[in-house]
Amino acid sequence: MTSLNDVRVALPAPVSPDDRLPTFVEVTGFDAASAWARLTPEQQTFVGELAVQLAAVGNRLNFEHDFTTNEVREVEDRESTALTEFCDKTEPLWADLYGWRAN
C-alpha cells in the first residue's frame, strides 16, 4: 500500500525564453520604448524595415479613394501579407522584446 506521502507531483518543466508566450499582464503592460531599447541595432533595423513596409502598404488605403475595387483588393492582399510577415518574423524576438532573456 502506498501512502499519500509517497506521491510525487510532477512540476512543469521550465519553458525557455524562446518558447514562452506572453501572459495577459505582459501583453497589456507592454512598453514598446523599453522593448525597442533592448533590441540590438541589427534587430531594430530588421523590425523597422518590416514596420515601414506594413505602414507604407497598409496605410495607403486610409488616404486615397481613387483606386478601383480590384486595386483596393490587391492593396488589401499586400497589406494582409505584410502584416502576416511582420507577425511571423517578429515572433522569434519576443524573448528580447519582453525582456525574458535578460531575466
Side-chain angles (χ1 to χ4, degrees):
M1 183 161 132
T2 305
S3 76
L4 290 177
N5 293 333
D6 293 334
V7 175
R8 306 220 188 267
V9 176
L11 297 175
V15 177
S16 79
D18 293 311
D19 294 330
R20 268 192 70 187
L21 291 175
T23 65
F24 174 79
V25 172
E26 288 170 322
V27 170
T28 56
F30 185 74
D31 179 0
S34 295
W36 186 258
R38 282 191 289 274
L39 296 178
T40 67
E42 293 80 17
Q43 289 171 320
Q44 289 176 346
T45 298
F46 175 73
V47 171
E49 289 173 359
L50 289 171
V52 167
Q53 176 186 355
L54 179 59
V57 171
N59 208 21
R60 174 65 169 87
L61 294 177
N62 291 331
F63 297 102
E64 196 64 49
H65 305 287
D66 63 349
F67 286 160
T68 67
T69 301
N70 287 339
E71 289 170 337
V72 168
R73 285 190 190 120
E74 184 174 338
V75 173
E76 287 173 341
D77 288 344
R78 288 177 184 239
E79 177 185 25
S80 177
T81 300
L83 179 58
T84 299
E85 182 179 12
F86 183 87
C87 292
D88 289 348
K89 289 186 175 182
T90 56
E91 184 179 346
L93 300 177
W94 280 358
D96 300 306
L97 292 170
Y98 282 98
W100 301 331
R101 201 177 312 282
N103 295 339

